[in-house]
Amino acid sequence: MIAVIYGTTGELIKLAPLMAALEAEGQLLSLCTAQQATQIEPMLQEFALPAPDLWMGRGHKGRDLDSARQVPGWAVGVLWSAVTKARSLLKRRASLVVVHGDTFTTVLGAFAGRIAGLPVAHVEAGLRSGDWRNPFPEELNRRVTSKLAGIHFTPGQWAANNLVTAGVKGEIVDIGANTVRDSLAMIAGRTPAPAGLPDAPFGIVSIHRFELLRDQRALRAALVALARGSEKHPLLFIDHPVTIAAVREAGLDEILSTPGIQRIPRQSYASFLGLMNQSSFLISDSGGSQEECAALGLPCLIHRARTERLDGLGDTVTLTRMDVAALDAFLADPPERAQRAADVTSPTHEIVAFLRRYAFLRRGGSA
């Protein structure tokens, strides 16, 4: 069996196609750290995936981690579970541990695999911003995971070259693209948008990273720019719980009360994609959203200092480098949506083919 360890919705979205393929063959063993405790189970239902075989954690008192100070206690609990519960389960039932991306769960999951004496495979390996401080701690998480993993599934040759340049050891497998392409295909046709959308062309704002939220000066500047831009383009502002808390703590709710901004609750993945399909552009600080917009041809502004992804840059994706003037310029004249041909390659298929070729995955029985 193949053990997949995840803890955030971002990881689950991109791992869902692989987990579904493994589940169809009776080869999936799933472990969840519940870094985003309240969001995991609805997301599993959305992708028709089974509940985890083992919960290695339950967030902070059963809720999503929403501040850095909550991370240490949760991480200690996950490591304790890795030693006391996950180790025996993995040794007994799994031949390989798969982790994804750049979260704390990625690193902890890789440690769990090593503790169990199993090889570790890292999906979305090789992404690099070139600056360990930006994005923090994601860039460090990727570098640490590259040291722990022995199989590195990279979403393109650029990412593979990064690992070669860094002298990373193990098997480097270029799967051609990010698995989010397969995730979008899984959800296609099930993307209803909520009612009450603006009549005029509108944009979506989805910001939720600590990099921006904990910097009150940068957050205020961004919200003021959004308020200015909403006079020309109506904006739907996604109320992520962590964003609500940060805006309230900084006393910035009044800025978001401008008539051109409509605040709406955090959406399911399918509903969010439905919004994206009907919108004119997206403003975000999410690397996952950057990849999705690049695949969909939706104009996207990424409000971050650095990005570790090349998806859409120079085409439909604009990186502000935290320059509010870039945000103003984008809102004044957003790019047009680009047409995208249907993807013919499946990164998930490439992963499964590799697992089968090297006997980690066998038809008709556990590996």
Side-chain angles (χ1 to χ4, degrees):
M1 281 190 147
I2 308 298
V4 179
I5 302 180
Y6 61 94
T8 70
T9 56
E11 292 166 316
L12 183 52
I13 287 168
K14 296 179 187 179
L15 286 170
L18 175 60
M19 293 172 68
L22 296 175
E23 173 68 10
E25 298 195 22
Q27 297 288 292
L28 174 65
L29 181 69
S30 67
L31 296 85
C32 182
T33 70
Q35 189 172 333
Q36 293 179 321
T38 62
Q39 302 178 58
I40 291 296
E41 289 178 293
M43 185 70 72
L44 288 170
Q45 295 170 10
E46 197 164 9
F47 280 100
L49 292 170
D53 295 281
L54 176 66
W55 291 95
M56 297 176 67
R58 285 284 188 173
H60 176 70
K61 298 180 180 179
R63 302 189 303 273
D64 297 358
L65 301 181
D66 59 15
S67 68
R69 64 178 177 273
Q70 295 173 357
V71 172
W74 163 82
V76 168
V78 171
L79 283 173
W80 179 249
S81 179
V83 173
T84 60
K85 298 177 182 178
R87 181 182 180 186
S88 60
L89 177 66
L90 293 171
K91 288 174 70 72
R92 186 173 70 252
R93 298 183 59 187
S95 62
L96 176 73
V97 169
V98 175
V99 298
H100 180 280
D102 54 18
T103 71
F104 291 120
T105 290
T106 314
V107 177
L108 294 171
F111 271 120
R114 293 292 293 268
I115 289 169
L118 295 178
V120 175
H122 182 201
V123 178
E124 202 179 80
L127 301 185
R128 294 290 186 272
S129 71
D131 180 356
W132 67 268
R133 297 163 298 181
N134 288 297
F136 180 85
E138 288 88 344
E139 182 75 3
L140 285 179
N141 289 341
R142 280 190 291 271
R143 296 185 189 189
V144 171
T145 304
S146 293
K147 299 293 185 181
L148 296 171
I151 301 169
H152 313 270
F153 293 114
T154 67
Q157 191 57 50
W158 170 77
N161 291 343
N162 287 338
L163 296 180
V164 172
T165 300
V168 169
K169 297 179 180 179
E171 188 86 18
I172 299 174
V173 186
D174 180 9
I175 59 174
N178 197 287
T179 55
V180 76
R181 291 189 180 186
D182 297 322
S183 306
L184 293 171
M186 284 182 74
I187 295 294
R190 296 190 286 119
T191 55
L197 300 181
D199 294 329
F202 65 90
I204 306 169
V205 180
S206 177
I207 55 176
H208 53 78
R209 287 169 46 83
F210 290 146
E211 177 185 2
L212 175 61
L213 298 184
R214 67 189 174 196
D215 185 338
Q216 292 190 1
R217 182 187 301 178
L219 179 60
R220 173 183 286 276
L223 295 184
V224 169
L226 292 173
R228 283 195 299 266
S230 70
E231 296 177 5
K232 182 176 181 181
H233 300 284
L235 298 176
L236 297 183
F237 188 93
I238 306 294
D239 268 337
H240 297 277
V242 291
T243 310
I244 294 172
V247 169
R248 183 175 298 134
E249 182 179 350
L252 302 176
D253 283 288
E254 186 176 353
I255 298 174
L256 293 177
S257 65
T258 186
I261 296 178
Q262 177 182 341
R263 300 178 71 168
I264 63 174
R266 181 177 60 198
Q267 304 292 298
S268 70
Y269 188 55
S271 294
F272 185 64
L273 290 179
L275 280 177
M276 291 171 69
N277 288 336
Q278 297 191 40
S279 68
S280 298
F281 58 86
L282 174 71
I283 294 172
S284 184
D285 53 5
S286 165
S289 291
Q290 176 184 340
E291 293 159 344
E292 289 156 355
C293 287
L296 295 171
L298 180 67
C300 176
L301 180 129
I302 298 296
H303 194 49
R304 287 168 59 171
R306 302 287 292 268
T307 180
E308 64 280 9
R309 293 163 168 83
L310 297 183
D311 306 69
L313 290 177
D315 182 14
T316 55
V317 175
T318 301
L319 177 67
T320 66
R321 301 189 184 279
M322 299 300 283
D323 182 358
V324 174
L327 180 53
D328 283 327
F330 182 91
L331 284 165
D333 187 21
E336 295 292 325
R337 183 185 286 264
Q339 295 297 316
R340 291 287 188 258
D343 293 319
V344 296
T345 59
S346 167
T348 301
H349 175 79
E350 297 299 318
I351 295 174
V352 172
F354 175 90
L355 297 178
R356 186 162 285 127
R357 186 163 62 248
Y358 286 87
F360 289 111
L361 178 63
R362 299 189 182 100
R363 291 189 185 277
S366 296

